Coordinates of all heavy atoms in Angstrom, one line a residue:
E7 N -16.2 -12.2 -7.5 CA -15.3 -11.7 -6.4 C -14.8 -10.5 -6.7 O -14.3 -10.1 -7.8 CB -14.2 -12.7 -6.3 CG -13.2 -12.3 -5.1 CD -11.9 -13.2 -5.1 OE1 -11.7 -14.0 -6.0 OE2 -11.1 -12.9 -4.1
A8 N -14.9 -9.6 -5.8 CA -14.2 -8.2 -5.9 C -13.2 -8.1 -4.7 O -13.7 -8.2 -3.4 CB -15.2 -7.1 -5.8
A9 N -12.0 -7.9 -4.9 CA -11.0 -7.9 -4.0 C -11.0 -6.6 -3.1 O -11.4 -5.5 -3.6 CB -9.6 -8.2 -4.6
C10 N -10.3 -6.6 -2.0 CA -10.3 -5.4 -1.1 C -8.9 -4.7 -1.1 O -8.0 -5.4 -0.8 CB -10.6 -5.8 0.3 SG -10.3 -4.5 1.6
W11 N -8.8 -3.4 -1.7 CA -7.6 -2.7 -1.8 C -7.1 -2.3 -0.5 O -5.8 -2.3 -0.4 CB -7.8 -1.5 -2.7 CG -7.9 -1.9 -4.2 CD1 -8.9 -2.3 -4.9 CD2 -6.8 -1.6 -5.2 NE1 -8.5 -2.5 -6.2 CE2 -7.3 -2.1 -6.4 CE3 -5.6 -1.0 -5.1 CZ2 -6.5 -1.9 -7.6 CZ3 -4.8 -0.9 -6.2 CH2 -5.2 -1.4 -7.4
A12 N -7.9 -2.1 0.5 CA -7.3 -1.8 1.8 C -6.6 -2.9 2.5 O -5.5 -2.7 2.9 CB -8.5 -1.4 2.7
H13 N -7.1 -4.2 2.2 CA -6.4 -5.3 2.6 C -5.0 -5.4 2.0 O -4.0 -5.8 2.7 CB -7.2 -6.6 2.3 CG -6.8 -7.9 3.1 ND1 -7.1 -8.0 4.4 CD2 -6.0 -8.9 2.7 CE1 -6.6 -9.2 4.8 NE2 -5.8 -9.7 3.8
W14 N -5.0 -5.3 0.7 CA -3.6 -5.3 0.0 C -2.7 -4.1 0.5 O -1.5 -4.4 0.8 CB -3.8 -5.3 -1.5 CG -2.5 -5.5 -2.3 CD1 -1.3 -5.9 -1.9 CD2 -2.4 -5.1 -3.7 NE1 -0.5 -6.0 -2.9 CE2 -1.1 -5.4 -4.0 CE3 -3.2 -4.6 -4.6 CZ2 -0.6 -5.3 -5.3 CZ3 -2.8 -4.4 -5.9 CH2 -1.5 -4.7 -6.3
R15 N -3.3 -3.0 0.5 CA -2.5 -1.8 1.0 C -1.9 -2.0 2.5 O -0.8 -1.6 2.7 CB -3.4 -0.5 1.0 CG -2.6 0.7 1.4 CD -3.6 1.8 1.5 NE -2.9 3.1 1.9 CZ -2.5 3.4 3.1 NH1 -2.7 2.5 4.1 NH2 -1.8 4.5 3.4
R16 N -2.7 -2.7 3.3 CA -2.3 -2.9 4.7 C -1.0 -3.7 4.7 O -0.2 -3.5 5.5 CB -3.4 -3.6 5.4 CG -3.3 -3.5 6.9 CD -4.6 -4.0 7.6 NE -5.6 -3.2 7.4 CZ -6.8 -3.7 6.8 NH1 -6.9 -4.9 6.5 NH2 -7.7 -2.9 6.6
K17 N -1.0 -4.8 3.7 CA 0.2 -5.6 3.8 C 1.5 -4.7 3.3 O 2.5 -4.9 4.0 CB 0.0 -6.7 2.7 CG -1.0 -7.8 3.1 CD -1.2 -8.7 1.9 CE -2.2 -9.9 2.3 NZ -1.6 -10.8 3.4
L18 N 1.2 -3.9 2.4 CA 2.4 -3.1 1.9 C 2.8 -2.0 3.0 O 3.9 -1.6 3.1 CB 2.1 -2.4 0.6 CG 1.9 -3.4 -0.5 CD1 1.4 -2.7 -1.9 CD2 3.2 -4.2 -0.9
F19 N 1.8 -1.5 3.6 CA 2.0 -0.4 4.6 C 2.9 -1.0 5.7 O 3.7 -0.2 6.3 CB 0.7 0.1 5.2 CG 0.9 1.2 6.2 CD1 1.1 2.5 5.8 CD2 0.9 0.9 7.5 CE1 1.3 3.5 6.7 CE2 1.1 1.9 8.5 CZ 1.2 3.3 8.1
D20 N 2.8 -2.3 6.2 CA 3.6 -2.9 7.2 C 4.9 -2.8 6.8 O 5.9 -2.6 7.8 CB 3.1 -4.3 7.4 CG 1.7 -4.4 8.1 OD1 1.3 -3.4 8.7 OD2 1.1 -5.5 8.0
H21 N 5.3 -2.9 5.6 CA 6.7 -2.7 5.1 C 7.1 -1.3 5.1 O 8.2 -0.9 5.5 CB 6.9 -3.3 3.8 CG 6.7 -4.8 3.6 ND1 7.5 -5.8 4.2 CD2 5.6 -5.5 3.2 CE1 7.1 -7.0 3.9 NE2 5.9 -6.8 3.4
A22 N 6.2 -0.5 4.8 CA 6.5 1.0 4.5 C 6.8 1.7 5.7 O 7.7 2.6 5.9 CB 5.4 1.7 3.8
K23 N 6.1 1.3 6.9 CA 6.2 2.0 8.2 C 7.5 1.7 8.8 O 8.0 2.5 9.7 CB 5.1 1.7 9.0 CG 5.1 0.2 9.6 CD 3.9 0.0 10.5 CE 3.8 -1.4 11.0 NZ 2.6 -1.6 11.9
S24 N 8.3 0.6 8.4 CA 9.7 0.4 8.9 C 10.6 1.4 8.4 O 11.7 1.5 9.1 CB 10.1 -1.0 8.5 OG 10.3 -1.1 7.1
G25 N 10.4 2.1 7.3 CA 11.3 3.0 6.8 C 12.4 2.5 6.0 O 13.3 3.2 5.6
K26 N 12.4 1.2 5.8 CA 13.5 0.5 5.1 C 13.0 -0.2 3.7 O 13.7 -1.0 3.2 CB 14.1 -0.5 6.0 CG 14.6 0.0 7.3 CD 15.2 -1.1 8.2 CE 15.7 -0.6 9.5 NZ 16.3 -1.6 10.4
A27 N 11.9 0.2 3.3 CA 11.3 -0.4 2.1 C 10.8 0.8 1.2 O 9.5 1.0 1.2 CB 10.2 -1.4 2.5
P28 N 11.6 1.4 0.4 CA 11.2 2.4 -0.5 C 10.2 2.1 -1.5 O 9.3 2.8 -1.9 CB 12.5 3.1 -1.1 CG 13.5 1.9 -0.9 CD 13.2 1.2 0.4
I29 N 10.2 0.8 -1.9 CA 9.3 0.2 -2.9 C 7.9 0.3 -2.3 O 6.9 0.6 -2.9 CB 9.7 -1.0 -3.3 CG1 10.9 -1.0 -4.2 CG2 8.6 -1.7 -4.2 CD1 11.5 -2.4 -4.6
A30 N 7.9 -0.1 -1.0 CA 6.5 -0.2 -0.3 C 6.0 1.2 -0.1 O 4.8 1.5 -0.3 CB 6.6 -1.0 0.9
V31 N 6.9 2.1 0.3 CA 6.5 3.5 0.5 C 5.9 4.1 -0.8 O 4.8 4.7 -0.8 CB 7.6 4.4 0.8 CG1 7.3 5.9 1.0 CG2 8.1 3.9 2.3
E32 N 6.5 3.9 -2.0 CA 6.0 4.4 -3.2 C 4.6 3.7 -3.7 O 3.8 4.3 -4.2 CB 7.0 4.2 -4.3 CG 6.7 4.7 -5.7 CD 6.3 6.1 -5.8 OE1 6.7 6.8 -4.9 OE2 5.7 6.4 -6.8
A33 N 4.6 2.4 -3.3 CA 3.4 1.6 -3.6 C 2.1 2.2 -2.9 O 1.0 2.4 -3.4 CB 3.6 0.2 -3.4
V34 N 2.4 2.4 -1.5 CA 1.4 3.1 -0.7 C 0.9 4.4 -1.2 O -0.2 4.8 -1.3 CB 1.8 3.0 0.8 CG1 0.7 3.9 1.5 CG2 2.0 1.7 1.3
R35 N 1.9 5.2 -1.6 CA 1.7 6.6 -2.1 C 0.7 6.5 -3.4 O -0.2 7.2 -3.6 CB 3.0 7.3 -2.4 CG 2.7 8.8 -2.9 CD 4.0 9.4 -3.4 NE 4.2 8.7 -4.7 CZ 3.6 9.1 -6.0 NH1 2.7 10.0 -5.8 NH2 3.9 8.5 -7.0
R36 N 1.1 5.5 -4.3 CA 0.3 5.5 -5.5 C -1.1 5.0 -5.2 O -2.0 5.4 -5.8 CB 1.0 4.4 -6.5 CG 2.3 5.0 -7.1 CD 3.1 3.9 -7.9 NE 4.2 4.4 -8.5 CZ 4.3 4.6 -9.9 NH1 3.4 4.4 -10.7 NH2 5.4 5.1 -10.3
M37 N -1.2 4.0 -4.2 CA -2.5 3.6 -3.8 C -3.4 4.7 -3.2 O -4.6 4.8 -3.5 CB -2.4 2.4 -3.0 CG -1.9 1.1 -3.6 SD -2.0 -0.3 -2.5 CE -1.5 -1.6 -3.4
D38 N -2.8 5.7 -2.6 CA -3.5 6.7 -1.9 C -4.1 7.7 -2.9 O -5.1 8.2 -2.7 CB -2.5 7.4 -0.9 CG -2.3 6.7 0.3 OD1 -3.1 5.6 0.6 OD2 -1.4 7.0 1.2
E39 N -3.4 7.7 -4.0 CA -3.8 8.6 -5.1 C -5.2 7.9 -5.7 O -6.2 8.7 -6.0 CB -2.8 8.8 -6.2 CG -1.6 9.6 -5.9 CD -0.7 9.6 -7.0 OE1 -0.8 9.0 -8.0 OE2 0.3 10.6 -6.9
I40 N -5.2 6.7 -5.7 CA -6.4 5.9 -6.2 C -7.5 6.1 -5.2 O -8.7 6.5 -5.7 CB -6.1 4.5 -6.4 CG1 -5.0 4.2 -7.5 CG2 -7.4 3.6 -6.7 CD1 -4.5 2.8 -7.7
F41 N -7.2 6.0 -3.9 CA -8.3 6.2 -2.9 C -8.8 7.6 -3.0 O -10.0 7.9 -2.7 CB -7.7 5.9 -1.6 CG -7.7 4.4 -1.2 CD1 -6.6 3.6 -1.5 CD2 -8.8 3.8 -0.7 CE1 -6.6 2.3 -1.1 CE2 -8.9 2.4 -0.5 CZ -7.7 1.7 -0.6
A42 N -7.8 8.6 -3.2 CA -8.3 10.1 -3.2 C -9.3 10.2 -4.4 O -10.3 10.9 -4.3 CB -7.1 10.9 -3.4

């Protein structure tokens, strides 16, 4: 099995886009570095 990072990131992004979850925002930023 190889898991999907986009699927995990999507869960965290749902929290980040509310603007009230700085932990999720930072997690998404770190994941974007991996994707880059």
